[in-house]
Amino acid sequence: MKESGDALKIRILDGAAALFIEKGIDNVTTRELTEHLGLSRSHIYHYFSDWQTLCVAALARYTESELETFSAGIAGMAPANRLEAMIANYLPDAPDAVWLLYSSLWQRAVHHKAYAELAESVIDKWVALTREIFAAGTARGDFRVEDSARVARQFSAMLYGYADTLIINPSAEKYREAVSDIRAFIRLVV
């Protein structure tokens, strides 16, 4: 049975993202992707004008899917538990291929507009989710946040900063220290 165009495009994007996680974006070639998917180069470039366009689209699909999965997983939790889940999600306690993928996106964003737009979009969506958590906690009386948007940006910046530090040279001690610092921030601010 012939695969529809939309299904094939999604399979290409998902296959690319899987290889990026496994090997790193810089270490994946069109040939590896075609072999992984059992497709020809012409199939790939029928849907994507060039490698960068495919990479950006694959990263966009992956990051959106990850956010949706995470959001669904914390739905129904109390706001404080949702924040704890965000800490656990953001901070790798050991080398983590997904965070290395995000790190690659940030590095590419410095030099390429398409990656920069994607990175900003990803950050904005996670900050929006965080803002919703702080607003929900405030509405329930669990938190005493005056400016949910500001606190969400601050909390997110801490998560990103600690995650980047832990990716470089992770250790159990640094992980515990980062989690402790973030929890102290939450106690002080919320």
Side-chain angles (χ1 to χ4, degrees):
M1 183 185 217
K2 189 174 178 183
E3 196 169 15
S4 76
D6 287 342
L8 182 56
K9 186 175 180 179
I10 289 169
R11 189 161 72 94
I12 292 167
L13 294 173
D14 291 346
L19 286 174
F20 295 162
I21 291 168
E22 179 185 335
K23 298 179 172 217
I25 296 173
D26 294 329
N27 300 320
V28 177
T29 64
T30 307
R31 170 176 265 170
E32 287 175 307
L33 179 58
T34 59
E35 289 174 1
H36 177 74
L37 296 172
L39 298 172
S40 67
R41 284 176 61 93
S42 63
H43 279 99
I44 303 285
Y45 291 112
H46 172 75
Y47 294 100
F48 304 97
S49 59
D50 56 42
W51 184 249
Q52 179 175 302
T53 301
L54 185 149
C55 290
V56 170
L59 289 169
R61 178 170 164 75
Y62 178 80
T63 57
E64 185 67 30
S65 174
E66 185 179 50
L67 177 61
E68 288 172 8
T69 300
F70 179 79
S71 295
I74 64 169
M77 288 183 181
N81 293 342
R82 292 168 70 190
L83 289 178
E84 282 296 323
M86 288 193 88
I87 293 168
N89 183 65
Y90 267 79
L91 298 182
D93 59 355
D96 183 296
V98 171
W99 259 109
L100 293 175
L101 180 66
Y102 276 91
S103 182
S104 294
L105 169 57
W106 304 154
Q107 290 168 10
R108 288 169 179 264
V110 173
H111 302 288
H112 301 283
K113 183 179 179 185
Y115 290 103
E117 290 170 354
L118 175 58
E120 281 194 68
S121 172
V122 169
I123 291 168
D124 289 347
K125 289 174 184 175
W126 281 95
V127 171
L129 175 62
T130 307
R131 185 180 62 244
E132 290 170 16
I133 294 169
F134 283 117
T138 301
R140 281 178 38 139
D142 297 344
F143 302 154
R144 52 177 174 73
V145 174
E146 291 181 25
D147 186 344
S148 294
R150 172 180 270 175
V151 173
R153 289 190 306 271
Q154 293 168 333
F155 179 77
S156 296
M158 288 182 71
L159 289 175
Y160 280 117
Y162 279 115
D164 287 346
T165 300
L166 291 169
I167 287 170
I168 294 168
N169 191 12
S171 73
E173 181 181 339
K174 287 180 183 178
Y175 175 79
R176 283 190 302 275
E177 192 173 78
V179 171
S180 176
D181 288 351
I182 292 169
R183 286 179 179 150
F185 170 81
I186 291 169
R187 284 190 304 275
L188 285 171
V189 174
V190 301

